[in-house]
């Protein structure tokens, strides 16, 4: 009997989860990792997992796994994992991450409703702190799962609000006992909204993701000297606020202009001190997010920024501190799994589009320990990390159907054979 997805339940769950942490229709929802709002999201997810009679496990970093047991003990040894995240940025849409997790539950539900046990254990994972807003690095839960950061180091992370990650994890009741990365999957699949404009512009409803671009995050602090806005001549100033503004302009006018369409630069957080109308800023603290699909170009952008800052501080009489928050090289996904996604899309009568992901994803971390791949559906106007994030129900349904077909295709591979 072919498996069928209960799409109304998938859409209803997206709606319900999207209400948790909601701050009014214009403000979207905010479920920063390990806050009370995110705990509410976790509790809801675990309740849905239990309602499907899944085996629920939580690891030492709070990654949540819901397993549908295989038909045989051998099948339990080689799980197929579907995963993403349910934490959000500030004022987020309802789909980023949640779509991939809840589509995974929809597939497990299809097995339950058909009364069929899968040939391989089917695990749905929700990884801790994918967004990296409160604690850096982003994709932290999957990074630790994949062995790229120790559990101990991650638990010691201090957040932007001064909290210790391990304390917050314990406080919300999600400090589990399972060692991180205890059961690496046979393969990992992540379904996600594109969060960019590429599919829509190409008139495509499905994307096969070739890989994820490199990501470099740093925090830069410029120290100058506070002075009176009315008495300090311009040439006498050591204006940290000017330094931040000059850096932002340099990123836009030199770094991204030198590699149009490939290097991206964002200053998403900026604070000046003392933050007063008639005082020359003494300190500016800002973040720089640099991305490029090519490691060489990303490296060149980082070097050009460092050189600019050296000149700037010499010229303006400032001091600079650069702190590295995140550095991930570009990742390519598994060829065989990508081919399976391509075939499943074609079977659904969609010629998919191949594209690189601009956003970071848990799948890029899982790719370190298992064959991994991703499916994208379009984002209307390419908007994401914004309450206006939207994908039509028809496209959400198509993505979930294709994921189901890929899962079935993977489950048909005999045990002991690579994907
Ligand atoms: C994570 O979502 C990122 O790409 O910043
Ligand atoms: Mn995401
Ligand atoms: Mn995101």
């Amino acid at each position: 009997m072919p498996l069928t997805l209960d799409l109304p339940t998938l859409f209803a769950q997206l709606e319900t989860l999207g209400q948790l942490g909601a701050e009014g229709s214009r403000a979207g929802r905010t479920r920063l990792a390990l806050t009370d709002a995110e705990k509410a999201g976790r509790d809801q997810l675990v309740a849905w997992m239990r309602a499907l009679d899944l085996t629920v496990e939580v690891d030492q970093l709070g990654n949540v796994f819901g397993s549908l047991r295989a038909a045989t003990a051998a099948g339990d040894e080689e799980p197929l994992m579907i995963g993403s995240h349910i934490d959000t940025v500030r004022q987020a849409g309802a789909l980023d991450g949640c779509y991939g997790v809840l589509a995974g539950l929809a597939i497990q539900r299809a097995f339950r409703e058909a009364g069929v046990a899968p040939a391989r254990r089917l695990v749905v994972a929700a990884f801790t702190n994918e967004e990296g807003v409160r604690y850096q690095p982003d994709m932290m839960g999957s990074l630790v799962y994949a062995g790229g950061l120790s559990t101990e180091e991650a638990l010691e992370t201090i957040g932007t609000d001064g909290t210790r990650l391990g304390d917050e994890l314990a406080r919300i009741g999600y400090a589990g006992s399972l060692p991180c990365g205890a059961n690496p999957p046979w393969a990992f699949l992540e379904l996600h909204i594109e969060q960019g404009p590429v599919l829509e512009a190409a008139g495509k409803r499905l994307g096969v993701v070739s890989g994820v671009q490199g990501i470099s995050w740093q925090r830069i602090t410029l120290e100058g000297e506070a002075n009176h806005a009315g008495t300090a001549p311009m040439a006498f100033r050591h204006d940290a606020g000017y330094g931040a503004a000059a850096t932002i302009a340099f990123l836009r006018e030199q770094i991204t202009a030198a590699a149009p369409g490939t290097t991206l630069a964002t200053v998403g957080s900026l604070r000046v001190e003392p933050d007063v109308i008639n005082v020359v800023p003494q300190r500016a603290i800002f973040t720089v997010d640099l991305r490029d699909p090519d490691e060489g170009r990303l490296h060149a952008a980082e070097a050009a920024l460092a050189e600019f800052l050296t000149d700037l501080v010499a010229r303006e009489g400032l001091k600079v501190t650069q702190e590295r928050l995140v550095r991930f090289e570009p990742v390519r996904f598994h060829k065989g799994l990508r081919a399976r996604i391509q075939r499943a899309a074609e079977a659904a009568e969609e010629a998919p589009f191949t594209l690189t992901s601009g956003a970071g994803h848990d799948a890029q971390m899982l790719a370190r320990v298992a064959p991994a791949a991703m499916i994208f559906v379009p984002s209307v106007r390419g908007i994401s990390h914004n309450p206006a994030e939207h994908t039509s129900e028809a496209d959400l349904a198509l993505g979930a159907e294709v994921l189901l077909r890929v899962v079935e295709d993977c489950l048909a591979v005999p045990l002991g054979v690579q994907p």
Side-chain angles (χ1 to χ4, degrees), residues 84-85 96-97 130-131 190 192 195 359-361 385:
S84 199
H85 60 99
D96 179 358
E130 191 273 350
E131 295 290 5
E190 184 169 0
H192 207 284
Q195 307 184 272
H361 294 291
H385 285 185

Side-chain angles (χ1 to χ4, degrees), residues 231-272:
T231 60
M234 297 311 283
F236 278 56
R237 296 184 180 199
H238 305 290
D239 182 342
Y242 167 73
T247 309
I248 295 172
F250 174 77
L251 289 167
R252 168 68 79 95
E253 290 161 10
Q254 304 292 322
I255 293 197
T256 64
T262 66
T263 304
L264 303 171
T266 306
V267 173
S269 168
L270 165 64
R271 201 171 80 231
V272 291

Side-chain angles (χ1 to χ4, degrees), residues 3 17 28 49 88 92 109 113 171 180 182 185 188 192 210 232 268 275 287 295 297 307 326 335 340 364 383 399 413:
L3 295 169
L17 188 52
M49 286 176 162
T88 72
R109 188 173 309 108
E113 283 170 6
R171 185 186 66 81
C180 294
F188 180 81
H192 207 284
S210 53
D275 194 18
T287 54
E295 174 59 23
R297 275 196 308 259
E307 197 181 316
V326 166
K335 213 166 144 203
R340 288 179 195 280
Q364 82 190 76
I383 298 280
V413 178

Side-chain angles (χ1 to χ4, degrees), residues 3 5 68 78-83 100-101 103-111 116-124 186-191 336-337 339-345 373 375 399-414 419:
L3 295 169
L5 292 175
L68 182 63
E78 293 187 26
L80 175 59
M81 187 183 280
I82 300 168
V101 173
L105 283 196
I107 288 171
Q108 291 174 317
R109 188 173 309 108
F111 278 91
V116 177
R120 298 174 183 281
R121 182 154 57 97
L122 200 52
V123 182
V124 169
W186 172 80
F188 180 81
L189 298 168
E190 184 169 0
L191 172 65
L337 286 180
R340 288 179 195 280
I341 295 169
Q342 178 86 24
R343 281 201 301 274
I375 305 169
E401 294 289 353
V402 168
L403 178 64
L404 172 60
R405 299 305 155 215
V406 177
V407 166
E408 288 180 313
D409 187 23
C410 285
L411 293 176
V413 178

Side-chain angles (χ1 to χ4, degrees), residues 371-382:
M374 291 189 76
I375 305 169
F376 274 175
V377 292
S379 291
V380 172
R381 294 199 302 117

